[in-house]
């Protein structure tokens, strides 16, 4: 039972009495040596969480649940949308497989602090590899399975992994894409040489092993089991490269102790999940949501985690929710748009849906959230995240006894414990501006960025006073502490000196029933500096595509003619990052 009755009491306690707040939160974790201190300032001005404590994250995610009688409960349920395979792994089975594979990694010479690069699609073996690294204190670096040689080589050179783990293929839709060409290209391009590669052979596309270099994943799983090692709270658990939404990909480093505490608290407080509940994230394990809510948070909390390989259709998502009695579904606006599209062609009864649905990752227009709420008849909650923070900066809190106010269509919730957002207006007196977070950031956020074997916090993350972390997101904060998001600060368009976020224009266009998705970017304008240009993807199957004039008319009516929208392009797709977010920068008109 959480000790606070209201949101304000909880949030104020975390900001005003951080030591007792976080030491209490830390009781959700099984420590080797329990913390006496919550936060300590590092020599470089950044912060370490639980600096006097030791633990093992894998023990918290796996072994302790077997010890506490959850051995026969499903830990991971995997469904491949590509091959239609399914696998259910209990906590006891997971313990055996992780301990064995950890022993196998050891036999390849991997030890504490060594990096292991995992370039795998979402599979049970991906989670096993991550947890096995955590067990022996190695630092996992999961990268997108679909990267071509040069992208993979960049990451190999960045982290210098002792071992690379891959599957023999990943899938694009139902088509197997062999991994060997990208791996061989990457190894030819990279300056650094890993000692070994481990391969998961998949039936759809077997690869021939290179003698001395390659090892079979499932054979290594049969190795003598390795026990969890004791790690300091601030020892690195993993490095995860940002998707590029927040600039050039950076290797974000996450610690062990702060990460475990933040995720365990979030399962209680934000998602309202208890041990034994089922959590389903549609995110690839290679992204931060997949790390945090596909693997670590549900497992640390003794829940069952449903993970999927490939893009699940709306009907597949609903069937999985029904079959596994999912309590929380965590998905993205893009996935939600596809569900909306598919729902138009579905007939028959809607299967029961999860108790609550969460979206994050990119702007979700209010029309979409409204559709989801009425379609599923359940709360649909938007919350705000970055790879850097590892969990949500703002959210709604299903674990509090007081009913959190019904989420508004536009807000992204109120700050999670320990986050204190403030607005830096670019024009004095304006309510909107860049959202900055006052330091220290709460546990679970980045310990730093990996660069040349060291962990540093780049100056670009800090404001000039070194007291705030810069999110590079724009928004505003209400008196109720609810935060509204206007998009990335570099997506703001300046028309004749007046600022308008592309997202504000997108919101109007997206409300048109024939629109599937849209993006608005700035184009240079000789007279007024910049003007907006809209790219619109119509719904599939619409009989009459609306005219540009109709879209321009809507925007002018809602926001005023000063916006100067004159160009609306109807397109079939919008460019996205590999994680599926719209990349407005790639639409920029020069
Ligand atoms: P990434 O680190 O790749 O996960 O991207 C983080 C960025 O995604 C944030 O800085 C935001 O720009 C965007 N983002 C995340 N969640 C939301 C949300 N709920 N609404 C709007 N944008 C979001």
């Amino acid at each position: 039972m959480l000790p606070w009755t209201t949101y304000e009491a909880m949030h104020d306690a975390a900001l005003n009495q951080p030591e007792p707040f976080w030491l209490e939160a830390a009781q959700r974790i099984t420590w080797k040596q329990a913390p006496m201190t919550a936060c300590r300032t590092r020599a470089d001005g950044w912060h370490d969480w639980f600096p006097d404590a030791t633990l093992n994250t894998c023990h918290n995610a796996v072994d302790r649940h077997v010890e506490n009688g959850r051995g026969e409960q499903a830990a991971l349920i995997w469904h491949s949308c590509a091959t239609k395979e399914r696998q259910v792994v209990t906590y006891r089975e997971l313990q055996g497989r992780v301990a064995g594979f950890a022993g196998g990694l050891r036999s390849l010479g991997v030890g504490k602090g060594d990096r292991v690069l995992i370039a795998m699609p979402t599979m049970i073996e991906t989670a096993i590899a991550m947890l096995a690294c955590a067990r022996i204190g190695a630092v996992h670096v999961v990268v997108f399975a679909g990267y071509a040689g040069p992208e993979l080589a960049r990451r190999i050179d960045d982290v210098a992994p002792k071992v690379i783990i891959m599957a023999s293929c990943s899938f694009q839709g139902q088509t197997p894409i062999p991994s060997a060409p990208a791996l061989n290209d990457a190894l030819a391009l990279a300056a650094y040489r890993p000692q070994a590669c481990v391969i998961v052979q998949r039936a759809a596309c077997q690869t021939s092993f290179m003698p001395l270099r390659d090892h079979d994943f499932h054979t290594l799983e049969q190795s003598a089991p390795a026990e969890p090692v004791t790690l300091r709270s601030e020892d690195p658990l993993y490095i995860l490269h940002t998707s590029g939404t927040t600039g050039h990909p950076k290797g974000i480093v996450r610690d062990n102790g702060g990460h475990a505490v933040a995720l365990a608290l979030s399962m209680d407080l934000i998602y309202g999940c208890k041990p034994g509940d089922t959590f389903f994230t549609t995110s690839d394990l290679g992204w931060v949501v997949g790390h945090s809510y596909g693997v670590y948070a549900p497992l640390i909390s003794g829940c069952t985690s449903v993970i999927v390989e490939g893009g699940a259709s709306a009907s597949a998502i609903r069937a999985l929710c029904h079959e596994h009695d999912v309590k929380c579904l965590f998905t993205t606006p893009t996935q939600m748009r596809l569900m909306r599209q598919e729902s138009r062609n579905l007939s028959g009864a809607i299967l029961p849906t999860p108790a609550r649905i969460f979206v994050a990752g990119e702007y979700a227009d209010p029309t979409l959230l409204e559709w989801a709420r009425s379609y599923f008849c359940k709360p649909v909650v938007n919350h705000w995240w970055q790879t850097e923070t590892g969990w949500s900066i703002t959210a709604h809190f299903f674990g509090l006894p007081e009913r959190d106010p019904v989420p508004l269509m536009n807000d992204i919730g109120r700050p999670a414990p320990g986050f204190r957002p403030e607005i830096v207006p670019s024009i004095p007196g304006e309510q909107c501006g860049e959202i900055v977070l006052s330091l220290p950031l709460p546990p679970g956020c980045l310990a730093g960025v990996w660069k040349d074997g060291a962990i540093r916090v780049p100056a670009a993350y800090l404001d000039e006073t070194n007291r705030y972390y810069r999110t590079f997101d724009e928004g505003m904060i209400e008196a109720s502490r609810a935060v509204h998001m206007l998009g990335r600060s570099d997506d703001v368009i300046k028309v004749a000196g007046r600022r308008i976020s592309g997202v504000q224009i997108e919101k109007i266009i997206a409300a048109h029933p024939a629109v599937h998705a849209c993006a608005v970017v700035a184009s240079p304008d000789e007279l007024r500096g910049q003007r907006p240009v809209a790219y619109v993807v119509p719904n599939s199957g619409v009989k009459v595509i609306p005219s540009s004039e109709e879209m321009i008319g809507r925007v002018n009516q809602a926001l005023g003619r000063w916006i100067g929208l004159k160009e609306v392009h109807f397109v079939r797709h919008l460019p996205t990052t590999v994680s599926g977010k719209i990349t407005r920068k790639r639409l920029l008109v020069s």
Side-chain angles (χ1 to χ4, degrees), residues 344-483:
R344 296 198 177 99
N345 310 320
L346 287 175
S347 53
I350 299 174
L351 295 171
T353 46
R356 48 200 75 133
I357 301 167
F358 293 83
V359 293
E362 59 176 330
Y363 174 70
D365 67 81
T367 335
L368 180 68
L369 296 177
E370 183 66 89
W371 166 81
R373 272 173 208 141
S374 62
Y375 186 68
F376 294 111
C377 301
K378 291 286 163 54
V380 177
V381 171
N382 190 2
H383 59 341
W384 172 41
W385 271 64
Q386 294 189 328
T387 304
E388 286 84 346
T389 63
W391 60 304
S392 55
I393 307 166
T394 57
H396 292 269
F397 300 87
F398 283 88
L400 286 174
E402 166 212 56
R403 278 235 19 96
D404 200 26
V406 178
L408 298 172
M409 290 304 148
N410 295 325
D411 77 43
I412 46 172
R414 295 189 280 181
F419 286 107
R420 194 199 306 253
E422 290 179 30
I423 298 294
V424 181
S426 46
I427 298 173
E430 265 197 356
Q431 274 189 314
C432 304
E434 185 186 335
I435 314 174
V436 295
L437 306 172
S438 85
L439 297 178
L441 297 181
C445 295
L446 73 165
V449 169
W450 186 265
K451 188 89 181 98
D452 304 326
I455 302 169
R456 296 198 187 88
V457 179
Y461 276 127
L462 300 172
D463 78 328
E464 61 278 7
T465 68
N466 282 347
R467 287 174 44 233
Y468 293 95
Y469 165 85
R470 298 188 62 184
T471 67
F472 296 98
D473 282 327
E474 294 255 326
M476 56 171 282
I477 305 174
E478 287 184 25
S480 67
R481 305 187 201 182
V483 178

Side-chain angles (χ1 to χ4, degrees), residues 138-224:
V139 179
H140 61 72
V141 188
V142 184
V143 305
F144 177 57
Y147 280 139
E151 283 297 315
L152 201 52
R154 245 169 75 176
R155 285 157 178 82
I156 292 172
D157 280 338
D158 187 32
V159 300
K162 213 165 214 179
V163 167
I164 295 182
I165 307 175
M166 294 194 97
S168 58
C169 68
S170 55
F171 284 86
Q172 246 170 34
Q174 320 280 300
T175 314
I177 312 289
S179 308
L183 175 63
N184 295 336
D185 278 1
L187 292 177
L189 287 168
Y192 175 83
R193 283 273 150 278
Q195 281 178 13
C197 296
V198 177
I199 311 225
V200 180
Q201 285 284 28
R202 304 190 74 179
C205 172
Q206 305 258 322
T207 193
S208 38
F209 283 12
M210 203 175 274
L212 302 177
R213 189 193 76 176
D214 295 346
H215 302 260
D216 178 61
F217 189 103
H218 294 122
T219 309
L220 281 179
E221 264 187 46
Q222 307 304 320
S223 308

